Amino acid sequence: DQQVKQNSPSLSVQEGRISILNCDYTNSMFDYFLWYKKYPAEGPTFLISISSIKDKNEDGRFTVFLNKSAKHLSLHIVPSQPGDSAVYFCAASRYGSGNTGKLIFGQGTTLQVKP
Amino acid sequence: EAQVTQNPRYLITVTGKKLTVTCSQNMNHEYMSWYRQDPGLGLRQIYYSMNVEVTDKGDVPEGYKVSRKEKRNFPLILESPSPNQTSLYFCASRTDSHGNTIYFGEGSWLTVV
């Protein structure tokens, strides 16, 4: 049972344009969402996060949007740069009593930004 | 420098030969975990540890063991590896319940033939 889904395995965009990566989840108890970026031969690194009490969080070129009613979040990268080419994972967790701190990851989306 | 260090980074082994992947963190984190990454499945948690001597199963624990005798170390043990354990493994640590402080190791490529 895939609780966090990234339905697009890959995405290709031109440098300077917007990249939009999507993620859907099924568990309404999730209340914290994160995006990680992974380059080949490296471990994933934290990119941006959002709490369920917000619907948007922005950090420089990166913005995450959360639509709780649709159980959907998206990561916008504007403008996209060739160095953004990587695999992007979305992840979800549930905070509160009994929380084990486990992150549930999506399958990942490979972003290619063409010069 | 904050680091999670895994060894070995690359290993080819044979079915049934016991192996251990070591993981060490220098951030005094209480929470450590192991993930495996497989195509089309993303990262799946194998085992986690909330503190020394406290470990529990994640989503895919079959065929693996862990131990947490010291805060900084969290080795992953494959007692009798099988080909379906061929994967990319990541150790991770963090200090609190939310993932924005999670640190991943660089990964260990394991091939079981």
Side-chain angles (χ1 to χ4, degrees), chain A residues 2 31-32 34 36 38 41-46 49 87 89 93-95 99-108, chain B residues 9-10 31 35 37 40-43 45 48 50 58-59 88 90 94 97-100 102 104-107 109:
Chain A
Q2 191 80 24
D31 58 6
Y32 201 78
L34 311 96
Y36 285 84
K38 183 184 176 304
E42 294 183 12
T45 54
F46 169 73
S49 62
V87 179
F89 292 98
S93 71
R94 182 168 64 89
Y95 181 75
N99 175 43
T100 63
K102 183 170 73 174
L103 293 179
I104 308 294
F105 284 86
Q107 306 97 312
Chain B
R9 294 289 313 282
Y10 304 93
Y31 185 99
Y35 290 85
Q37 182 188 352
L41 297 175
L43 289 144
Q45 191 182 62
Y48 66 93
M50 302 286 279
D59 296 317
L88 175 57
F90 289 102
R94 69 192 202 204
S97 298
H98 287 308
N100 59 331
I102 195 170
F104 282 91
E106 292 184 313
W109 280 101

Side-chain angles (χ1 to χ4, degrees), chain A residues 25-50:
Chain A
Y25 61 95
T26 58
N27 190 339
S28 59
M29 299 298 290
F30 289 143
D31 58 6
Y32 201 78
F33 304 90
L34 311 96
W35 285 93
Y36 285 84
K37 179 178 180 179
K38 183 184 176 304
Y39 292 118
E42 294 183 12
T45 54
F46 169 73
L47 189 58
I48 192 169
S49 62
I50 187 167

Side-chain angles (χ1 to χ4, degrees), chain A:
Chain A
D1 177 30
Q2 191 80 24
Q3 296 187 68
V4 178
K5 295 180 183 179
Q6 293 175 255
N7 292 316
S8 297
S10 63
L11 175 67
S12 181
V13 300
Q14 282 298 129
E15 180 179 7
R17 308 294 282 269
I18 184 171
S19 295
I20 300 177
L21 295 94
N22 294 305
C23 180
D24 297 295
Y25 61 95
T26 58
N27 190 339
S28 59
M29 299 298 290
F30 289 143
D31 58 6
Y32 201 78
F33 304 90
L34 311 96
W35 285 93
Y36 285 84
K37 179 178 180 179
K38 183 184 176 304
Y39 292 118
E42 294 183 12
T45 54
F46 169 73
L47 189 58
I48 192 169
S49 62
I50 187 167
S51 164
S52 61
I53 62 173
K54 295 185 175 182
D55 54 19
K56 176 182 174 181
N57 188 28
E58 193 171 350
D59 183 2
R61 297 186 296 113
F62 302 92
T63 303
V64 56
F65 295 92
L66 176 62
N67 182 334
K68 282 183 293 183
S69 61
K71 295 191 180 70
H72 177 84
L73 64 154
S74 61
L75 174 69
H76 292 211
I77 306 174
V78 183
S80 301
Q81 299 173 353
D84 295 329
S85 298
V87 179
Y88 290 79
F89 292 98
C90 72
S93 71
R94 182 168 64 89
Y95 181 75
S97 62
N99 175 43
T100 63
K102 183 170 73 174
L103 293 179
I104 308 294
F105 284 86
Q107 306 97 312
T109 297
T110 300
L111 173 66
Q112 182 185 27
V113 179
K114 297 178 179 178

Side-chain angles (χ1 to χ4, degrees), chain B residues 46-96:
Chain B
I46 303 170
Y47 266 94
Y48 66 93
S49 169
M50 302 286 279
N51 213 325
V52 175
E53 300 293 0
V54 180
T55 64
D56 209 344
K57 297 177 181 178
D59 296 317
V60 287
E62 294 78 20
Y64 304 95
K65 286 174 60 176
V66 293
S67 68
R68 189 89 183 274
K69 294 183 171 56
E70 306 164 283
K71 201 170 190 179
R72 64 182 290 123
N73 295 323
F74 190 45
L76 179 69
I77 303 156
L78 286 74
E79 292 272 1
S80 183
S82 62
N84 65 11
Q85 291 178 297
T86 293
S87 187
L88 175 57
Y89 292 86
F90 289 102
C91 180
S93 76
R94 69 192 202 204
T95 185
D96 62 24

